[in-house]
Amino acid sequence: MAAPVARLHNVVLDCPDPRGLAEFYAEIIGGTIHDEDGDGQWVDLVAPGRVKVSFQRVADLATAEWPRSDKNAQQLHLDLDAGPTWADVDAAEKRVLALGARPLDLDDGDGKRDFRVYADPAGHPFCLCMIP
């Protein structure tokens, strides 16, 4: 296998309110929020394990239309490990909904799926996954 070309530095999400969305995800995955310029145009969330998610201001963001792929496709989503049991996922679901997430697809496919899909306050899809 050839050496990688580059290392992943961070994931960047466009949104109308970078600080607000950084605070939303900080409540879910933990971490420290940084706004080095202080202007709210670009905000970083450095989560445990040195994972960095950044939020960039886009005033007129066209949000994903779950589960469409022909118009306003999701393009990217985050899979979040909610724990090894459905009780853990249920508890995580209550918390993300209280923080402002909205459900997009909660159907478990008759027990064949190990995730549920939500939208963050800016409309980006993310999944709470049961990871045994």
Side-chain angles (χ1 to χ4, degrees), residues 16 29 46 61 65 68 71 75 80 90 95 119-120 124:
I29 65 172
V46 180
L61 180 70
E65 294 182 33
R68 294 180 66 159
K71 179 182 174 192
Q75 298 179 16
L80 305 176
D90 290 341
R95 291 188 65 195
D120 67 25
H124 303 101

Side-chain angles (χ1 to χ4, degrees), residues 10-117:
N10 68 324
V11 175
V12 181
L13 299 176
D14 292 346
C15 58
D17 177 11
R19 167 138 322 254
L21 200 56
E23 290 171 354
F24 172 82
Y25 279 106
E27 289 291 328
I28 296 171
I29 65 172
T32 306
I33 296 171
H34 303 275
D35 181 358
E36 291 184 21
D37 294 334
D39 62 4
Q41 296 297 310
W42 180 281
V43 177
D44 295 317
L45 171 61
V46 180
R50 298 182 61 182
V51 173
K52 184 163 75 169
V53 182
S54 299
F55 306 90
Q56 173 177 260
R57 185 178 307 282
V58 173
D60 56 350
L61 180 70
T63 59
E65 294 182 33
W66 179 268
R68 294 180 66 159
S69 61
D70 60 334
K71 179 182 174 192
N72 294 341
Q74 64 175 324
Q75 298 179 16
L76 175 135
H77 72 272
L78 302 175
D79 282 347
L80 305 176
D81 180 350
T85 69
W86 281 115
D88 294 325
V89 176
D90 290 341
E93 176 178 277
K94 288 179 186 172
R95 291 188 65 195
V96 300
L97 293 175
L99 291 168
R102 63 182 167 83
L104 292 178
D105 185 354
L106 304 182
D107 182 10
D108 71 356
D110 295 327
K112 296 177 184 164
R113 289 187 2 186
D114 58 359
F115 63 92
R116 296 178 188 155
V117 186

